[in-house]
Amino acid sequence: MNKPKHLLILLFIVLLSACQKEELKTPSESELANLPESKVSKSQPGKAAVGSKVMMQAFYWDVPAGGNWWNTVKAKLPAWSSAGIDAIWLPPASKAQNGAFSMGYDPFDYFDFGNYNQMGSTETRFGSKSELQSLISIAHANNLSVIADIVINHNSGGASENNPYTGGSTYTDYDPASGMFYRSATDFHPNDYHSNDSGAFGGFPDLCHDKTYVQDWLWNKSNSVAKYYKNTMGFDGWRFDYVKGFSPWVVNSWISEVGGFAVGEYWDGNAATLEWWVNNSGASAFDFACYYRMRDAFEGNDLTKLQEDMLWKRSPMRAVTFVANHDTDEIYNGKMLAYAYIMTHEGYPTVFYQDYEEWLDKDKLNNLIWIHNNKAGGSTSILHADNDEYIAKRNGAPGLIVYINNSSSRQERWVSTNWYGQVIKDYTGNSGWEPITQGDGWVKLEVPAKSYTIWSTK
């Protein structure tokens, strides 16, 4: 029977499309990393929700100056994504007082990403605006979210002006080259609204977030800092610097207006205080309580400290755990043990750039990232803790048991599991045992000296 003409035409189009698809070549990781921004899709297919895997802090203090950092990070994105990273946290990206030498924590022009000649340079320490946009596009093409470091407590680099609120002169005249968010004495403390807020930092001019003008420019206006970062630059979330310096409602208002993942740097080792902040801000917080307990445990050789109060135990969905960052003192003893702890417990773990790329065993960190992403589900139960040994289990499916040994000799111990009559193995490769759990779930596990094992079903 003869087919209608329009059906023949449709069949030809389908066949032609199929042939064209077969000829398409998927770019390699190295090719993808070098694609210009215009060649990278703006869509983000399959991008994991921030917090479901592991975040990379993609910088350290005093990364090399010279404007190459954005390109350095961009080249690593495919490998990080393949390792199981779901988000990268970048340093403050806009122009600061020290121009090409600044790490960004002395912000001057929130809308200059390395495209205006001011503060002694056009590019920032990290590179140009186009290089940053290319990095963000490549990150999205690799299913990575990009977290912006936001510094809104204080500013730096303003010119001197007569200040009617102090009776003298202050460096509060901000006239940025972008022409966006001009600031003067009335926008800082003290002013006609009040003398101060939660806290100033380092003698820098302290922004007054109670001012409607400041709120509009930071998050409310259609061309506010928050909306420009999100809609023009493509950032997916926020790391708020020094949130002790202003009230939690500021972060709450920001994320209510623009959304996105948010985490605050509330530098306090008290888990209850951190819980108060996350409840009032609506954001996550870095778990400094966990950081200090790990430091006490591994530096002080007392793993019972790991039983103490931490944010992840109070609010696991709001806790961002970490072993090191650009500001903290180092955990020198048992640093890999600390990573084994955060990768097997609740919270959203962060890997520090220098730990991953320079200082520690990348293969071992990748192994821990894989274990976190594939095995570490459900609530946490601590099974044993003493000076040298710590054992905990995750109660999800399949779940895991982590055995940390801070002593100088091999250890073994009987523990209760959620697996009954099943073969289990150590997914770190530190033990070759493959024991079968008893009918009641008990099993004997081992761990080498100064090491860890992580057990789950085969």
Side-chain angles (χ1 to χ4, degrees):
M1 182 171 63
N2 292 332
K3 295 182 175 65
K5 184 176 181 180
H6 69 277
L7 290 179
L8 291 172
I9 293 172
L10 179 60
L11 179 61
F12 174 77
I13 292 172
V14 170
L15 290 172
L16 178 61
S17 175
C19 291
Q20 289 175 331
K21 287 180 180 179
E22 289 178 359
E23 295 173 357
L24 291 176
K25 179 184 177 184
T26 302
S28 67
E29 290 184 354
S30 60
E31 289 171 331
L32 185 59
N34 291 316
L35 283 174
E37 179 193 358
S38 60
K39 299 296 184 182
V40 179
S41 171
K42 294 291 185 180
S43 64
Q44 303 167 36
K47 188 174 66 167
V50 180
S52 62
K53 293 185 177 181
V54 175
M55 179 163 64
M56 174 70 73
Q57 180 178 353
F59 67 100
Y60 54 93
W61 194 256
D62 283 346
V63 301
N68 294 316
W69 191 249
W70 297 146
N71 289 333
T72 297
V73 170
K74 184 175 76 169
K76 298 180 182 298
L77 298 178
W80 289 353
S81 178
S82 296
I85 301 298
D86 67 354
I88 59 169
W89 158 26
L90 297 183
S94 60
K95 187 68 62 65
Q97 179 181 9
N98 289 312
F101 303 100
S102 177
M103 283 297 296
Y105 291 95
D106 50 340
F108 175 75
D109 188 342
Y110 288 103
F111 298 89
D112 178 2
F113 293 89
N115 49 310
Y116 293 98
N117 187 359
Q118 59 182 337
M119 295 296 149
S121 69
T122 298
E123 290 193 348
T124 68
R125 183 189 192 98
F126 315 113
S128 68
K129 179 180 181 179
S130 62
E131 289 167 344
L132 173 58
Q133 289 175 311
S134 178
L135 182 161
I136 293 171
S137 293
I138 297 298
H140 289 165
N142 281 277
N143 302 324
L144 293 165
S145 295
V146 184
I147 308 303
D149 202 320
I150 298 295
V151 185
I152 57 172
N153 175 73
H154 53 272
N155 288 171
S156 186
S160 178
E161 66 175 343
N162 181 56
N163 190 327
Y165 310 108
T166 64
S169 295
T170 54
Y171 291 96
T172 48
D173 182 9
Y174 287 77
D175 189 9
S178 67
M180 309 275 274
F181 196 14
Y182 170 79
R183 283 145 282 161
S184 64
T186 192
D187 304 311
F188 298 92
H189 296 111
N191 57 28
D192 57 340
Y193 188 86
H194 55 186
S195 296
N196 59 274
D197 60 3
S198 298
F201 180 81
F204 292 114
D206 187 46
L207 273 173
C208 179
H209 302 91
D210 291 290
K211 285 284 190 174
T212 300
Y213 175 82
V214 172
Q215 295 173 23
D216 286 346
W217 270 111
L218 286 180
W219 64 82
N220 281 329
K221 289 164 61 79
S222 61
N223 59 345
S224 64
V225 173
K227 291 173 184 174
Y228 191 92
Y229 268 67
K230 179 180 179 180
N231 300 328
T232 300
M233 299 302 295
F235 283 100
D236 305 289
W238 325 100
R239 180 268 185 186
F240 289 95
D241 180 67
Y242 190 63
V243 296
K244 277 189 172 183
F246 46 90
S247 297
W249 68 261
V250 174
V251 171
N252 200 309
S253 296
W254 179 297
I255 58 180
S256 294
E257 183 67 25
V258 298
F261 173 81
V263 56
E265 182 210 29
Y266 197 99
W267 197 318
D268 197 298
N270 187 302
T273 302
L274 295 173
E275 183 183 34
W276 164 83
W277 189 84
V278 300
N279 287 342
N280 284 276
S281 68
S284 298
F286 287 104
D287 194 346
F288 279 93
C290 177
Y291 166 76
Y292 283 117
R293 300 300 85 73
M294 288 193 299
R295 195 180 70 174
D296 294 344
F298 296 114
E299 293 293 311
N301 298 310
D302 181 5
L303 299 195
T304 65
K305 296 293 184 181
L306 299 178
Q307 299 180 106
E308 295 182 3
D309 201 10
M310 307 176 194
L311 179 60
W312 72 257
K313 298 181 180 183
R314 290 170 170 260
S315 186
M317 299 301 294
R318 295 290 193 185
V320 178
T321 53
F322 66 99
V323 174
N325 66 29
H326 62 294
D327 284 329
T328 56
D329 297 328
E330 286 297 310
I331 295 175
Y332 293 104
N333 296 322
K335 199 171 198 182
M336 280 302 303
L337 306 188
Y339 271 110
Y341 180 85
I342 68 168
M343 292 292 180
T344 54
H345 286 65
E346 291 166 83
Y348 179 33
T350 305
V351 176
F352 182 47
Y353 180 95
Q354 284 184 297
D355 285 343
Y356 188 84
E357 293 290 345
E358 299 176 13
W359 294 340
L360 300 180
D361 188 320
K362 185 182 294 188
D363 290 337
K364 289 183 178 180
L365 285 172
N366 283 341
N367 170 252
L368 287 174
I369 293 168
W370 184 91
I371 289 170
H372 172 271
N373 293 347
N374 291 276
K375 299 291 184 179
S379 62
T380 303
S381 301
I382 298 175
L383 304 180
H384 177 82
D386 59 30
N387 284 3
D388 297 325
E389 298 172 68
Y390 174 87
I391 308 174
K393 68 178 177 181
R394 295 294 297 275
N395 295 302
L400 59 79
I401 292 180
V402 56
Y403 191 169
I404 297 174
N405 178 15
N406 200 37
S407 76
S408 56
S409 59
R410 174 186 167 278
Q411 303 290 339
E412 58 182 51
R413 189 171 292 276
W414 282 90
V415 298
S416 174
T417 79
N418 296 334
W419 309 303
Y420 307 99
Q422 292 183 266
V423 178
I424 63 173
K425 61 176 284 188
D426 165 37
Y427 277 85
T428 71
N430 293 329
S431 170
W433 284 13
E434 291 192 3
I436 301 174
T437 61
Q438 297 183 157
D440 59 2
W442 282 81
V443 70
K444 181 188 281 188
L445 303 179
E446 70 161 346
V447 61
K450 295 291 184 181
S451 189
Y452 55 88
T453 49
I454 302 172
W455 305 81
S456 189
T457 53
K458 291 187 70 175

